[in-house]
């Protein structure tokens, strides 16, 4: 796990970017504290910061150049099948690193080798003879890659802060702002800075003779449905996860696992304990908020598999005190509040190990969220659905909030009632959106054509989609934009590598092939995954409700963060001078925050708050 950055000139008028490269590389020091270096040759500059995981010797440092001096690679990630790929190469390797294997595989096959890679990565591969540069990103988007291009040069980096080191105009992209306000994160290839893009998962950029080619090497092709028995599907799920975990246990530094107490991370720990009899596991709990504390389940799993377990028990003060660390590290607005406990967990865990396994990706593959259940059930014609439709006006008026059991139930019921009036493709965007009226908050919102053009790129040609289609949309939109971005940013802020076994290419292909009723059956989510591990995990975990990483944001905004929210969000003079947000609409949020029915207003306020803190640091 590392940080990469660099540039390539596209014209003779390109500015001298050598000093910019040094600054950009230095900005990524947390991603790679073990070594930092740059490479310069004619029109190209490459920078690398290293977090040493496999072959920690100097021989594996980057930028790495081949024996002839022609080819150079900077690379962020891990290729888990590098030993198998090394057998295809007749090379006398000077290191035992996956970096060197990737370098020589690229020399031999170029971009044609990309579908062979099983792992997570973003890299830049330079051919000094051809003056060409190949950039690529893994198929699921686990590792990030931002880039900016004008007529004179192209610059890239693992994080936006690296690009801020280059001469790039800092202007807000209004379409990106709209989707950020609506979703709380930036989806797909969007960036908050006009002209900056993220390379899409499964894509590459090839630059030669000042010509820039962007294309995909992998996409979500239609999958033949698994036609075996349900028992076969369970067995195959366990088998593929075990194989995936085993691949991800390769490291020359201490390795452990996150353990939340849910099925996903617990299944990963169950498999990892087979290969490490002294496996270290880590969980966090909320001492001041029992509703979201799941550490008792994590401790049951740790006891069953005899792991070396550590629980970090947090108070509200611990969460609040971490806000500055979270907000100071992010270099693009990102308002998923679960980033806060993820940051704290990574901070604590990084003091013990350098590599952690996690259960991320299972929900998107197997249907683990309430929205998946809501989607599946909303198409049924039954008495409960008819009753909810009839009660829709009443449900809309009930006090709703994510911060209490009753309020959360009312919130979900009201959203579900609205859901049943929609076509299934529209249901996806309804369920994905935290603030569907985002344009009302903006002074210059994008027009409907621009908004719909983004939605239409994911349209399958039919307004009626099934659960597997819904999950594929999550894999394309939510997973790389939100979940994987959160884990990458918060772990890298603490120099910790996080590996995600559920996103192994073989397990992803298998999960996508399973019929929808294997994933959601009546009121049960992730059915096949839960049943596959029913007799492996402690019985207390089976069929229990999912809670996830939540923080008491509504309470904070009314109390501990009240002064800060007033300063950053409700300063009308600043809002009017800034010219981005509709100040009258923003002020209405203040009244709702302190009303008897705040609903999800705290989510919208947090989204604006994060943006404003970011704006004052990076744009003012």
């Amino acid at each position: 796990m590392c940080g990469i950055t660099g540039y390539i000139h596209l014209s003779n008028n390109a500015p001298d970017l050598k000093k910019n490269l040094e600054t950009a590389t230095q900005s990524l020091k947390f991603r790679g504290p073990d070594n930092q270096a740059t490479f310069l040759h004619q029109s190209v500059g490459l920078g690398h910061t290293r977090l040493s995981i496999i072959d920690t010797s100097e021989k594996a440092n980057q930028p790495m150049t081949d024996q002839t001096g022609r080819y150079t690679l900077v690379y962020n990630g891990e290729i888990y099948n590098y030993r198998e790929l090394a057998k295809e190469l007749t090379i006398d390797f000077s290191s035992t690193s996956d970096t060197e294997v990737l370098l020589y595989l690229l020399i031999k096959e170029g971009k044609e080798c990309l579908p062979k890679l099983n792992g997570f990565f973003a890299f830049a591969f330079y051919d000094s003879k051809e003056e060409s540069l190949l950039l690529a990103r893994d198929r699921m988007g686990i590792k990030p890659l931002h880039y900016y291009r004008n007529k004179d040069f192209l610059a890239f980096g693992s994080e936006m802060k690296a690009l801020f080191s280059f001469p790039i105009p800092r202007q807000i992209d209004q379409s990106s702002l709209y989707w950020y306000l609506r979703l709380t994160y930036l989806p797909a290839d969007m960036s908050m800075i006009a002209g900056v893009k993220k390379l899409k998962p499964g894509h590459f950029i090839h630059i030669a003779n000042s010509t820039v080619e962007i294309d995909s090497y992998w996409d979500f092709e239609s999958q033949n449905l698994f036609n075996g028995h349900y028992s076969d599907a369970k067995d195959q799920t366990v088998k593929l996860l075990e194989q995936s975990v085993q691949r991800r246990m390769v490291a020359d530094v201490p390795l452990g696992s996150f353990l939340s107490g849910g099925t996903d991370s617990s299944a990963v720990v169950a498999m990892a304990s087979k290969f490490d009899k002294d496996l270290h596991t880590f969980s966090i709990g909320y001492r001041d908020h029992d509703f979201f504390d799941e550490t008792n389940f994590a401790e049951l799993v740790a006891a069953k598999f005899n792991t070396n377990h550590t629980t970090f028990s947090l108070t509200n003060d611990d969460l609040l005190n971490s806000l500055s660390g979270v907000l100071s590290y992010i270099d693009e607005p990102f308002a998923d509040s679960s980033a806060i406990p993820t940051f704290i967990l990574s901070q604590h865990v990084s003091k013990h190990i350098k590599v952690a396994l996690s259960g991320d990706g299972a929900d998107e593959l197997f249907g683990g969220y309430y929205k998946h259940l809501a989607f599946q059930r909303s198409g049924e014609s039954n008495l409960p659905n008819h009753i909810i439709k009839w009660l829709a006006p009443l449900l809309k008026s009930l006090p709703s909030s994510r911060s209490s059991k009753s309020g959360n139930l009312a919130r979900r019921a009201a959203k579900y009632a609205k859901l049943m009036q929609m076509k299934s493709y529209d249901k996806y965007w309804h369920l994905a959106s935290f603030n569907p009226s985002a344009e009302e908050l903006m002074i210059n919102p994008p027009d409907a054509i621009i908004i719909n053009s983004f939605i239409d790129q994911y349209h399958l040609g039919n307004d009626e989609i099934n659960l597997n289609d819904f999950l594929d949309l999550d894999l394309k939109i939510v997973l790389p934009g939100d979940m994987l971005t959160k884990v990458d940013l918060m772990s890298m802020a603490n120099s910790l590598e996080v590996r995600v076994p559920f996103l192994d290419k073989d397990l992803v292909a298998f999960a996508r092939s399973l019929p929808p009723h294997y994933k959601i059956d009546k009121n049960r989510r992730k059915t096949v995954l839960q049943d596959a591990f029913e007799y492996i995990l402690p019985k207390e975990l089976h069929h229990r409700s999912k809670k996830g990483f939540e923080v008491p944001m509504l309470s904070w905004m009314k109390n501990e963060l009240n002064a800060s929210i007033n300063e950053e969000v409700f300063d009308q003079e600043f809002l009017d001078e800034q010219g981005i947000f509709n100040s009258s609409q923003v002020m209405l949020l203040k009244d709702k925050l302190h009303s008897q029915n705040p609903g999800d207003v705290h989510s919208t306020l947090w989204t604006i708050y994060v943006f404003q803190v970011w704006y004052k640091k990076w744009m003012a």
Side-chain angles (χ1 to χ4, degrees):
M1 191 78 75
C2 307
I4 65 171
T5 187
Y7 65 84
I8 182 169
H9 294 170
L10 300 176
S11 79
N12 294 328
N13 297 320
D16 185 350
L17 299 173
K18 296 184 184 68
K19 291 183 179 179
N20 303 86
L21 178 66
E22 292 290 343
T23 305
T25 305
Q26 178 63 23
S27 75
L28 300 174
K29 60 183 177 181
F30 289 107
R31 298 188 71 93
D34 297 328
N35 188 67
Q36 178 179 314
T38 57
F39 167 88
L40 295 168
H41 183 268
Q42 296 183 11
S43 63
V44 168
L46 304 174
H48 187 267
T49 61
R50 184 183 183 200
L51 181 65
S52 304
I53 302 296
I54 296 176
D55 187 347
T56 60
S57 72
E58 292 183 2
K59 292 180 179 179
N61 282 346
Q62 301 177 46
M64 182 178 284
T65 300
D66 78 311
Q67 296 168 359
T68 69
R70 174 175 172 176
Y71 304 97
T72 301
L73 173 71
V74 288
Y75 152 59
N76 167 28
E78 307 287 355
I79 306 299
Y80 301 120
N81 60 335
Y82 76 99
R83 289 172 176 167
E84 294 91 329
L85 294 171
K87 295 175 183 177
E88 300 178 12
L89 304 167
T90 55
I91 301 293
D92 184 16
F93 294 104
S94 62
S95 74
T96 58
S97 70
D98 58 332
T99 304
E100 191 174 11
V101 174
L102 178 60
L103 172 63
Y104 282 98
L105 191 64
L106 286 164
I107 291 170
K108 179 183 177 184
E109 301 183 15
K111 64 179 181 290
E112 302 305 318
C113 77
L114 293 173
K116 292 183 177 181
L117 305 180
N118 189 345
F120 58 169
F121 57 84
F123 67 74
F125 172 67
Y126 174 58
D127 180 342
S128 62
K129 182 179 179 179
E130 299 292 334
E131 279 287 296
S132 66
L133 187 68
L134 175 68
L135 305 171
R137 189 180 181 194
D138 67 75
R139 65 188 68 204
M140 302 307 296
I142 302 170
K143 290 291 99 187
L145 189 60
H146 303 66
Y147 68 95
Y148 169 82
R149 168 190 172 194
N150 63 21
K151 61 183 177 59
D152 295 320
F153 70 92
L154 181 147
F156 65 90
S158 295
E159 296 178 6
M160 178 66 80
K161 57 176 66 72
L163 289 187
F164 279 143
S165 302
F166 293 97
I168 294 172
R170 300 194 188 186
Q171 298 176 345
I172 300 296
D173 184 286
Q174 295 298 317
S175 181
S176 297
L177 175 59
Y178 166 82
W179 283 107
Y180 165 73
L181 292 171
R182 181 166 171 176
L183 302 175
T184 75
Y185 61 89
L186 291 162
D189 61 345
M190 288 187 176
S191 164
M192 194 59 72
I193 304 300
V196 175
K197 297 286 186 183
K198 298 182 183 75
L199 184 60
K200 288 184 178 181
H203 279 64
F204 67 85
I205 302 175
H206 186 254
I207 304 139
N209 300 317
S210 299
T211 300
V212 180
E213 173 197 6
I214 303 176
D215 205 349
S216 64
Y217 66 87
W218 181 86
D219 203 353
F220 290 85
E221 297 178 354
S222 59
Q223 194 86 22
N224 293 327
L225 283 182
F226 177 79
N227 58 8
H229 295 297
Y230 185 67
S231 59
D232 298 328
K234 292 193 298 179
D235 293 343
Q236 188 71 351
T237 299
V238 174
K239 177 184 176 182
L240 288 172
L241 182 61
E242 181 178 339
Q243 291 174 351
S244 174
V245 168
Q246 185 176 19
R247 291 186 187 109
R248 284 155 181 79
M249 299 292 285
V250 177
D252 296 324
V253 294
L255 177 148
S257 185
F258 294 161
L259 179 55
S260 70
T263 300
D264 311 338
S265 63
S266 299
V268 169
V269 167
M271 299 296 98
S273 66
K274 292 185 175 186
F275 308 108
D276 185 348
K277 298 305 179 185
D278 188 33
L279 183 69
H280 288 251
T281 54
F282 305 89
S283 61
I284 59 173
Y286 301 139
R287 198 183 310 165
D288 298 335
H289 215 286
D290 290 342
F291 179 65
F292 294 120
D293 194 313
E294 302 181 294
T295 54
N296 58 319
F297 295 104
E299 287 162 4
L300 285 171
V301 175
K304 173 151 189 172
F305 298 105
N306 197 30
T307 70
N308 192 333
H309 188 65
T310 303
T311 298
F312 308 111
S313 186
L314 307 180
T315 65
N316 273 341
D317 286 344
D318 293 324
L319 293 168
L320 283 163
N321 291 338
S322 71
L323 280 183
S324 61
V326 173
L327 295 178
S328 65
Y329 190 80
I330 61 174
D331 47 18
E332 258 193 317
F334 180 78
D336 182 340
S337 61
S338 66
I340 300 167
T342 304
F343 176 88
I344 298 174
L345 178 61
S346 298
Q347 187 178 56
H348 285 295
V349 168
S350 65
K351 297 173 184 177
H352 301 266
I353 58 176
K354 289 184 77 171
V355 179
L357 306 178
S358 86
D360 290 290
D363 287 316
E364 289 80 5
L365 283 173
F366 291 97
Y369 296 124
Y370 281 109
K371 66 177 182 179
H372 299 146
L373 178 61
F375 173 82
Q376 189 75 341
R377 294 182 63 188
S378 66
E380 299 172 359
S381 179
N382 53 37
L383 183 59
N385 278 356
H386 290 306
I387 292 174
I388 290 175
K389 283 183 181 179
W390 181 68
L391 291 175
L394 173 63
L395 293 171
K396 190 175 181 181
S397 65
L398 290 176
S400 63
S401 167
R402 287 178 175 267
S403 300
S404 71
K405 192 170 184 179
S406 60
N408 204 27
L409 183 61
R411 180 187 68 83
R412 286 178 180 155
K415 198 166 187 176
Y416 184 74
K418 187 175 181 180
L419 186 72
M420 287 188 291
Q421 311 299 323
M422 300 177 175
K423 294 180 179 179
S424 60
Y425 183 68
D426 295 331
K427 290 178 182 179
Y428 180 84
W429 295 102
H430 174 67
L431 290 166
S433 300
F434 281 79
N435 181 21
S437 302
E439 67 277 4
E440 296 177 3
L441 294 170
M442 301 173 62
I443 291 178
N444 297 305
D447 61 35
I449 294 176
I450 294 176
I451 292 172
N452 290 329
S453 67
F454 174 79
I455 293 175
D456 289 345
Q457 69 177 293
Y458 296 101
H459 202 286
L460 301 174
N462 191 338
D463 285 339
E464 299 304 323
I465 62 175
N466 63 30
L467 178 64
N468 277 352
D469 298 326
F470 191 108
L471 295 176
D472 274 356
L473 288 172
D474 268 3
L475 290 171
K476 294 177 182 179
I477 299 167
V478 180
L479 192 66
D482 185 1
M483 302 305 171
L484 295 175
T485 294
K486 172 185 65 181
V487 173
D488 179 79
L489 282 173
M490 297 301 98
S491 62
M492 286 287 89
N494 294 285
S495 305
L496 176 72
E497 175 175 305
V498 176
R499 299 177 177 179
V500 280
F502 278 104
L503 296 184
D504 184 272
K505 69 183 185 70
D506 297 333
L507 184 52
V508 169
F510 173 72
R512 292 184 63 236
S513 76
L514 295 175
H517 67 276
Y518 279 19
K519 299 171 184 177
I520 292 182
D521 180 25
K522 298 179 181 177
N523 291 328
R524 296 179 59 212
R525 291 164 287 127
K526 287 188 295 196
T527 309
V528 68
L529 182 62
Q530 290 197 55
D531 289 349
F533 285 90
E534 180 177 7
Y535 299 109
I536 299 174
L537 301 178
K539 64 180 184 303
E540 290 86 350
L541 270 66
H542 203 53
H543 300 318
R544 78 177 187 85
S545 61
K546 178 184 178 68
K547 295 177 182 176
F549 272 174
E550 292 279 356
V551 295
M553 192 61 70
L554 181 61
S555 174
W556 283 2
M557 289 185 174
K558 290 183 175 181
N559 299 287
E560 294 93 340
L561 287 181
N562 186 251
S564 185
I565 291 291
N566 284 333
E567 178 184 353
E568 301 292 351
V569 178
F570 298 128
D571 183 342
Q572 187 155 358
E573 183 178 348
F574 175 76
L575 288 171
D576 292 339
E577 180 183 333
Q578 185 185 33
I580 294 175
F581 295 105
N582 184 332
S583 60
S584 61
Q585 287 294 320
V586 173
M587 291 305 166
L588 290 177
L589 300 176
K590 187 173 186 178
D591 295 332
K592 189 169 185 180
L593 173 65
H594 297 285
S595 70
Q596 293 298 311
N597 186 16
D600 278 340
V601 69
H602 58 285
S603 176
T604 302
L605 288 174
W606 177 249
T607 305
I608 299 173
Y609 177 79
V610 170
F611 177 91
Q612 296 292 44
V613 172
W614 168 83
Y615 182 90
K616 290 179 180 179
K617 178 177 181 179
W618 296 101
M619 303 295 287

